[in-house]
Amino acid sequence: MKLSDFKFDVPKKLISLYPAANRDESRLMVVHRDTGKIEHRVFKDITEYFGDGDVFVTNDTKVFPARLYGNKEKTGAEIEVFLLRELNAELKLWDVLVDPARKIRVGNKLYFGDSDLVAEVIDNTTSRGRTIRFLFDGTEEEFHKTIDTLGETPLLKEFIERKVEAEDKERYQTVFAKNVGAVAAPTAGLHFTPHLLKRLELEGVDVTSITLHVGLGTFRQVDVEDLTKHKMDSENYEIPDNTVKLVNRSLDAKKKVVAVGTTSLKTIESSVTANGRLKASAGWTDKFIIPPYEFKIANALITNFHLPESTLLMTAAAFGGYDLVMKAYKEAIKEKYRFFSYGDAMLIL
């Protein structure tokens, strides 16, 4: 498929700047692949579509406050450092993006807060990318606590055009968040509440998790028309034994395996046995799912409404079928569904 196949206009007013007042009261579009039927519901109605033996696979990654503001040595120029991933915990080496990039060179020292945290730039990786080493005299726990104190919730400012607020620290985490490492939330999970999970449990639904630490590469602009030439950034993942057991049991019983989000979807599709079952594994995945694609594990998907030409939209279209998903998006715009991280949800059955 081509990049231009995923081009359409979303009115700016439909890109949600804030989450719904209650997580499970976002709107829910239900798309039926077998009939093409489209329903308009509320997210908490999702319990009506699942029952005994079905399993939900969630992503339990936890977003850390990855955006730091500081000053450059000598000049005091204000700089922004976006932490992408830790390369070496012992040496405190990190891959980062910097802004303004032209002012930040190898050898520069950067100061954050009241100089509680200092970093030295040791390498250039891309036009905006740098490798930095934090100079911090303390334990690893104290270091991460300092990052947590000084850092800001990493909302994508290119799309959510407002200042980060205190509420974002809690609302930009899912109720499943446990393993720290993501710089963006697995947004399909943002719609769940403990009460909704209890209702699913009463219906006999199992809820289990994988971990995939979402990186900014998920949102990186695709700049090639031929989608087969686009290279995804690698993201670290883990699929535990318990999840494998529950998923394969549901598959054997011909029940629903529901991927909660495209991050969960690509993770479980990255670790499949020769006979089409999930296997426990851990490592890195750069899997990029575009139409057409034969899914081996998931047979239902919960996902947000994504932006045009995004890799997330392409993956959703591979799952739901290109024509049907694009028809659903056209209807979503007509019906004024809310788009992006804090937006509404789609269930594809």
Side-chain angles (χ1 to χ4, degrees), residues 107-164:
N108 287 159
K109 283 193 170 66
L110 313 174
Y111 294 83
F112 305 96
D114 295 324
S115 299
D116 290 338
L117 196 61
V118 181
E120 181 180 12
V121 181
I122 63 171
D123 196 13
N124 294 326
T125 53
T126 63
S127 59
R128 286 186 59 213
R130 302 288 186 273
T131 300
I132 66 173
R133 178 175 62 227
F134 284 104
L135 310 174
F136 183 83
D137 189 16
T139 65
E140 188 172 348
E141 185 181 348
E142 289 168 338
F143 170 71
H144 286 285
K145 188 174 181 181
T146 301
I147 295 289
D148 198 58
T149 300
L150 296 177
E152 179 182 270
T153 302
L155 297 183
L156 294 181
K157 296 188 293 185
E158 304 95 306
F159 309 114
I160 300 178
E161 297 178 357
R162 63 168 173 83
K163 289 187 176 180
V164 172

Side-chain angles (χ1 to χ4, degrees), residues 220-268:
R220 185 160 56 87
Q221 184 176 353
V222 178
D223 54 13
V224 289
E225 178 68 1
D226 181 354
L227 297 182
T228 62
K229 291 183 168 57
H230 178 69
K231 184 79 166 66
M232 292 288 286
D233 293 350
S234 292
E235 295 167 313
N236 191 242
Y237 78 92
E238 181 176 358
I239 302 171
D241 289 329
N242 184 58
T243 293
V244 169
K245 178 182 171 184
L246 290 171
V247 166
N248 289 341
R249 187 176 70 187
S250 290
L251 288 174
D252 291 341
K254 299 192 177 345
K255 298 291 186 176
K256 292 190 179 76
V257 175
V258 188
V260 179
T262 56
T263 62
S264 296
L265 181 66
K266 77 175 178 181
T267 301
I268 59 180

Side-chain angles (χ1 to χ4, degrees), residues 10-145:
V10 175
K12 195 172 179 180
K13 64 184 179 182
L14 295 186
I15 297 176
S16 185
L17 299 183
Y18 292 92
N22 298 306
R23 289 178 183 266
D24 60 3
E25 291 180 356
S26 297
R27 295 171 72 190
L28 175 70
M29 178 184 284
V30 183
V31 179
H32 298 265
R33 291 181 293 177
D34 55 350
T35 63
K37 180 182 176 183
I38 294 174
E39 298 179 82
H40 303 289
R41 306 293 297 270
V42 177
F43 193 81
K44 60 187 177 184
D45 297 337
I46 206 162
T47 55
E48 297 176 22
Y49 296 90
F50 302 100
D52 193 42
D54 294 334
V55 62
F56 280 42
V57 182
T58 68
N59 185 356
D60 67 8
T61 189
K62 187 173 185 178
V63 179
F64 68 97
R67 184 176 283 114
L68 294 170
Y69 295 100
N71 301 92
K72 187 179 165 186
E73 65 173 340
K74 296 179 183 174
T75 66
E78 292 185 356
I79 49 97
E80 177 185 315
V81 174
F82 195 103
L83 304 175
L84 292 176
R85 62 183 176 186
E86 190 172 39
L87 300 173
N88 185 305
E90 186 178 353
L91 297 176
K92 296 182 175 60
L93 289 178
W94 284 75
D95 251 344
V96 304
L97 295 176
V98 295
D99 188 36
R102 68 184 184 281
K103 292 185 178 180
I104 302 175
R105 300 185 174 92
V106 172
N108 287 159
K109 283 193 170 66
L110 313 174
Y111 294 83
F112 305 96
D114 295 324
S115 299
D116 290 338
L117 196 61
V118 181
E120 181 180 12
V121 181
I122 63 171
D123 196 13
N124 294 326
T125 53
T126 63
S127 59
R128 286 186 59 213
R130 302 288 186 273
T131 300
I132 66 173
R133 178 175 62 227
F134 284 104
L135 310 174
F136 183 83
D137 189 16
T139 65
E140 188 172 348
E141 185 181 348
E142 289 168 338
F143 170 71
H144 286 285
K145 188 174 181 181

Side-chain angles (χ1 to χ4, degrees), residues 153-200:
T153 302
L155 297 183
L156 294 181
K157 296 188 293 185
E158 304 95 306
F159 309 114
I160 300 178
E161 297 178 357
R162 63 168 173 83
K163 289 187 176 180
V164 172
E165 300 174 12
E167 181 196 39
D168 292 310
K169 188 162 189 174
E170 184 262 334
R171 285 308 306 268
Y172 200 57
Q173 299 283 12
T174 71
V175 294
F176 313 108
K178 183 172 66 173
N179 295 311
V180 177
V183 299
T187 54
L190 293 176
H191 305 284
F192 287 85
T193 64
H195 179 68
L196 181 57
L197 291 172
K198 189 67 181 175
R199 288 176 57 210
L200 285 168

